[in-house]
Amino acid sequence: MTLSKNGITGINSDGIKRSLILAGGGARLSYQAGVINALEEEGLKFNHFDGTSGGIFNTAMICSDITPKDMAMRWRKVNVMNFSSLLPFKNYFSKSTFNAIGDADGILNKVFPTLGIDIKKMNANASIDATFNVCNFSKKTIEALSSQKVTLEHLIAGMSLPIFMPAVKIKGDWYTDAVWIKDANINEAIKRNPNEIWLVWAIGNSHEFLNGSFNQYVHMIEISANGGLLLELEQLETANSKKEKEKITLHVIKPEFPLPLDPDLMFYKINVDELINRGYADAKYYLQNKPLNGVSPDYKASLMKEPGISFNFRSLFSGTLNWKNKPADFSLNIHFNFRLIDDELVLRAYCSLAFNNSIYRISTYNNQVTLNHQERVLVYGSSFVFEDEVFHLQCELDLISQYDLLLGMEFKKAFCTISSDKIPKPIAFILKQRAWSRIKNIPFIHISSSSSWLKKQKEKFRVLKKVYQKPTL
């Protein structure tokens, strides 16, 4: 028997049995690594793990004894282009032989090794109770396989979304991604009679139905996944109705707004670091505001805010500061996400930082962005945990011109302070953003909306006009 060294697994000191359900969400599931880091930081341990679709990646990492800290580090090393690899050329020109856009070779030979997924370790790790959900297409059923019995073929099949990856034949039956039937197997958790079920949900759930073939393919996934979740939640209600006391509490961690889709990740409009930082910030927010009795098991459990018009850009700062009486290198990656919702500007930012070029980046939480139009300054503030202590970061960025931002000439410097209850005087320092960093990120300054290209350009300037509006006298 292999004893797990993973800080998120094992027996809870509070005696509470918890199940962690890691649902799907395509190649964007580095988001869950941020969530899992926040859960471990909170001291929560889980007796059961369940992975479906993209959630299989992180469930497999847990069963391979990858710690949450290493999970985030490994995700940041992944080349997202390896999530799909091309099939033989002739496959794309024959109706009779076409079976998918790509295959799993990149995942199997590059993504899995980078993430540390080791099927032999998983099968031998009897100390972790984990289940992996795959769709047996031949029988139109869901099979929940334990970490001791799951095979490499099952892991690949569990992420083989029709059209994008071919189905996998195992012992005479064909297997695919389970998302079309269910994207979260809450019933598997109910069987273990837990006190709490924690669901990490990343599939979009918002109001608008969008045009375009890819958007509507995504909508079909959203319908199946959210519809399947509602059926699972009904089973949870039924299970609770049979109990006079010790009912199962449901907790759901999800994005505030729907996550960008896989193509945005593939084309670097969002990156893995930013997804991890979002997951961490969303989880910390939920933990700080956790309802005593959890969330209601209804359609609102996975509901997200309407995305509006989203303007996105990133800034990468570096420099030195005096840390514990020694000079230390410091880097700061900020992803700004400004939304126009009902003509109101909603400011968001997600960030990670690192000391002395560490391979372990630190995600921030309690992120706040404010605009001081009088002094022409953008102020970013957040908290972060380092060496078991909570610190507070604040940065001021000069607002010069919207055209400077679009041309890569804005935000050359960040005037920063770090403070904590144990630091008598805030540490002040200046970070700089290199010219090459600003220039190479110009193509990724973009608007996310359902509008045409021309209308998106108008929307971009609508957002920028509000950000750079002149101060009132």
Side-chain angles (χ1 to χ4, degrees), residues 186 190 193-197 232-251 293-297:
I186 289 177
I190 295 172
N193 195 30
N195 302 105
E196 297 177 356
I197 292 177
E232 293 286 305
L233 294 179
E234 286 178 9
Q235 292 185 53
L236 176 58
E237 282 192 293
T238 299
N240 277 338
S241 68
K242 297 176 181 178
K243 295 183 176 185
E244 293 184 6
K245 55 182 180 179
E246 296 185 357
K247 298 180 184 296
I248 301 171
T249 302
L250 174 67
H251 295 287
N293 298 316
V295 301
S296 299

Side-chain angles (χ1 to χ4, degrees), residues 157-170:
M159 295 173 288
S160 295
L161 202 60
I163 296 180
F164 292 96
M165 280 175 56
V168 179
K169 199 170 189 178
I170 305 172

Side-chain angles (χ1 to χ4, degrees), residues 30 72 75-76 265 268 270-279 316 332-335 350-353 361-363:
S30 52
W75 267 111
R76 287 185 170 100
L265 181 62
Y268 203 58
I270 190 169
N271 62 37
V272 168
D273 180 60
E274 291 158 8
L275 287 167
I276 292 171
N277 299 336
R278 284 194 184 201
L316 313 176
L332 190 67
N333 297 348
I334 312 177
H335 172 230
Y350 307 94
C351 176
S352 71
L353 54 89
R361 298 200 65 81
I362 302 165
S363 297

